[in-house]
Amino acid sequence: MTSSLVVDGGSTDRTQEIVSSMAVTDPRVRLLHNPDRFTPFAFNIGIAAAAGEYVAILGAHCRYDSNYLSASLRG
């Protein structure tokens, strides 16, 4: 099963509220917390919680084409 892990470092822009509300209705969405607030810690938290064959690290302040992941896997 594909899942979406969101690692939040204490943002104040409603990220936690939005992701938590999504997780209530979609078990594939999980909110993880990064108390250290630095990106490398967030990567480690997310990778440790990930399960599956592939892991993709995507930036929250970016927009991706709808086929971004499938195109990346095709190489």
Side-chain angles (χ1 to χ4, degrees):
M1 171 172 77
T2 302
S3 63
S4 296
L5 305 175
V6 177
V7 184
D8 183 75
S11 62
T12 58
D13 62 358
R14 296 188 54 236
T15 295
Q16 294 178 45
E17 177 186 340
I18 293 166
V19 175
S20 292
S21 69
M22 292 171 66
V24 169
T25 59
D26 190 341
R28 298 171 302 166
V29 177
R30 289 178 50 203
L31 175 62
L32 306 173
H33 299 282
N34 173 15
D36 293 305
R37 299 184 55 124
F38 292 103
T39 302
F41 292 99
F43 290 165
N44 291 335
I45 291 165
I47 290 169
E53 188 174 352
Y54 301 103
V55 173
I57 298 172
L58 305 173
H61 299 281
C62 299
R63 291 184 185 247
Y64 299 92
D65 288 338
S66 60
N67 67 338
Y68 177 79
L69 292 175
S70 60
S72 296
L73 290 171
R74 281 194 305 273

